[in-house]
């Protein structure tokens, strides 16, 4: 059991760098969400930025996959060779987080404050059941599969929702960005984002 924990921990450390990159980008780009919404520039900005980010994540996946396949044995000790496989399994979930953090998450949390919470509330029981099934049978690799799949699915749902809502921004939907702090209303207004 401790060996499986070590394998998964090593893989998480490798994947964490991509998530941290998403967090760093969020510091730069998420403050632009509300001003751009106010100025009516958000939809064009979001779609351009997100398209570039998704292409970048695709390139990162290819590069990381090739690098791990070619160089894992030279970098990792033999007892942690399985960590390379676990990392490749975690990679899509980590890249999904990278693609979601900078702008999508901030926009969705402003446009639909309860959406992320509801998504997590719905997914946690399913993930617990999947972990309960996968870990005893497949160990670290099973845990990595559940983790990565869960993150990837939630990211896709969030990305699709943000893409859809960003295209429906109207004057009514932008009322929330003009509301003083502490009195934020629901962003969902008749005729606005829905």
């Amino acid at each position: 059991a401790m060996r499986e924990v070590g394998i998964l921990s090593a893989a998480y450390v490798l994947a964490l760098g991509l998530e941290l990159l998403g967090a760093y980008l969020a510091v730069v780009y998420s403050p632009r969400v509300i001003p751009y919404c106010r100025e009516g520039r958000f939809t064009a900005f979001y779609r351009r930025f997100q398209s570039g980010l998704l292409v970048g994540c695709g390139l990162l996946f290819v590069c990381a996959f090739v690098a791990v396949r070619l160089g894992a044995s030279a970098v990792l000790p033999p007892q942690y060779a399985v960590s390379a496989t676990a990392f490749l399994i975690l990679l899509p979930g980590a890249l999904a987080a990278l693609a979601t953090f900078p702008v999508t998450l901030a926009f969705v949390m402003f446009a639909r404050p309860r959406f992320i919470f509801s998504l997590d509330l719905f997914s946690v029981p399913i993930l617990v059941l999947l972990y309960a099934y996968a870990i005893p049978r497949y160990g670290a690799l099973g845990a990595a599969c559940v983790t990565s799949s869960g993150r990837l699915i939630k990211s896709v749902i969030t990305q699709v929702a943000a893409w859809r809502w960003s295209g429906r921004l109207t004057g009514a939907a932008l009322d929330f960005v003009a509301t003083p702090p502490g009195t934020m209303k629901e962003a969902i207004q008749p005729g606005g984002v829905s």
Side-chain angles (χ1 to χ4, degrees):
M2 290 307 296
R3 179 178 178 274
E4 298 294 322
V5 171
I7 289 169
L8 194 58
S9 297
Y12 271 128
V13 168
L14 293 171
L16 186 60
L18 296 169
E19 297 180 39
L20 287 175
L21 177 59
Y24 292 144
L25 289 173
V27 172
V28 176
Y29 289 101
S30 63
R32 302 182 188 191
V33 170
I34 297 303
Y36 282 6
C37 284
R38 283 182 178 146
E39 296 164 13
R41 298 166 53 196
F42 180 76
T43 300
F45 161 75
Y46 177 71
R47 295 189 173 190
R48 184 175 61 250
F49 177 86
Q50 204 61 28
S51 295
L53 186 59
L54 290 171
V55 169
C57 286
L59 292 174
L60 278 173
F61 178 82
V62 172
C63 292
F65 187 86
V66 170
V68 168
R69 283 296 181 199
L70 295 179
S73 58
V75 176
L76 294 172
Q79 62 268 33
Y80 283 102
V82 182
S83 290
T85 303
F87 168 71
L88 290 177
I89 294 170
L90 289 170
L91 184 58
L95 289 169
L98 167 58
T100 304
F101 280 149
V103 176
T104 300
L105 191 62
F107 172 67
V108 169
M109 292 189 75
F110 278 113
R112 206 81 181 272
R114 296 184 187 130
F115 181 82
I116 300 294
F117 176 74
S118 300
L119 190 58
D120 285 339
L121 201 63
F122 176 77
S123 64
V124 165
I126 296 170
L127 289 172
V128 168
L129 291 173
L130 290 172
Y131 280 122
Y133 172 81
I135 292 173
R137 288 165 180 79
Y138 306 106
L141 297 182
C145 282
V146 173
T147 299
S148 191
S149 299
R151 298 183 87 188
L152 188 59
I153 290 167
K154 286 197 291 186
S155 177
V156 168
I157 291 169
T158 306
Q159 299 277 341
V160 169
W163 197 276
R164 180 176 166 233
W165 295 335
S166 71
R168 295 176 143 193
L169 289 175
T170 66
L174 296 178
D175 283 350
F176 75 102
V177 300
T179 304
T183 60
M184 184 180 287
K185 299 181 290 184
E186 280 286 338
I188 310 308
Q189 304 283 349
V193 179
S194 58

